Amino acid sequence: RPPSYVHGEVAVTADTRDRPGHSTRGGVYRAAMSRYADKDLDAYGFRQYQLEAVQFVPLVPNRWTLALHGWSVFTDTATGQDVPFYMLPSLGGGNTLRGDRNYRWHDRHLLLVNLESRLGVYEHMDLALFVDAGNVAPRIGRLNLDQRSYGAGVRVHAKGSTLV
């Protein structure tokens, strides 16, 4: 059975997006620090630090938007402590490396960059082209952007939210 944890987190977020569910300008900027203390085995205590930024740039207002996203996670343990595999930062799936299956890549540290171009083809439909790049690594110095995915999609949205 997995150990029980005492968990605490401190985070700061600034959100300047025009519409959170279907943004065309502004951004979200976040910094967080989490601490996990293993109550049962005293073997799985660790800290995680996250930095994330998303910026929406209107190239042609209400028609063409560029979305830039960066995310990093750094994990720190004391001597004799470890991070359970199911709590390691992971890449893969719909919000990170969209060409890979969910949770495909795991390790202590994570780096991700996404670039997405959204072009409005109808009032409530966008065509999206994207490039995702990132990786996970056991040490910060080994992080790189070697894992990549590319793709295209269609988004159906209302004025303030993406539906499909």
Side-chain angles (χ1 to χ4, degrees):
R1 121 180 146 84
S4 300
Y5 288 91
V6 173
H7 171 248
E9 181 171 297
V10 174
V12 175
T13 303
D15 188 344
T16 64
R17 294 174 294 171
D18 57 346
R19 295 182 303 262
H22 181 65
S23 303
T24 60
R25 69 181 65 241
V28 178
Y29 317 96
R30 184 177 69 90
M33 187 202 69
S34 301
R35 184 162 184 334
Y36 295 83
D38 166 11
K39 296 189 325 183
D40 301 328
L41 305 173
D42 193 30
Y44 297 104
F46 61 97
R47 289 173 301 283
Q48 281 189 336
Y49 307 92
Q50 295 189 43
L51 296 171
E52 186 171 22
V54 182
Q55 182 66 49
F56 298 94
V57 180
L59 299 176
V60 176
N62 299 318
R63 189 73 162 154
W64 186 14
T65 301
L66 191 63
L68 306 157
H69 175 228
W71 181 39
S72 59
V73 181
F74 307 106
T75 306
D76 181 35
T77 57
T79 303
Q81 298 289 302
D82 206 355
V83 181
F85 75 91
Y86 53 86
M87 295 181 86
L88 288 169
S90 67
L91 286 178
N95 293 319
T96 58
L97 290 174
R98 291 172 265 194
D100 288 343
R101 70 181 191 276
N102 288 336
Y103 314 110
R104 168 67 178 91
W105 309 99
H106 300 82
D107 217 321
R108 288 178 173 253
H109 310 291
L110 172 150
L111 179 64
L112 173 71
V113 176
N114 310 99
L115 174 64
E116 184 172 294
S117 177
R118 300 176 187 167
L119 180 63
V121 292
Y122 295 109
E123 183 179 357
H124 297 291
M125 184 185 299
D126 294 345
L127 174 63
L129 302 171
F130 66 85
V131 176
D132 303 328
N135 218 334
V136 295
R139 291 187 307 278
I140 293 172
R142 293 187 57 197
L143 284 171
N144 57 49
L145 301 176
D146 287 353
Q147 300 300 326
R148 295 185 188 101
S149 62
Y150 311 87
V154 175
R155 299 235 173 91
V156 178
H157 58 84
K159 183 134 179 106
S161 63
T162 300
L163 305 171
V164 179

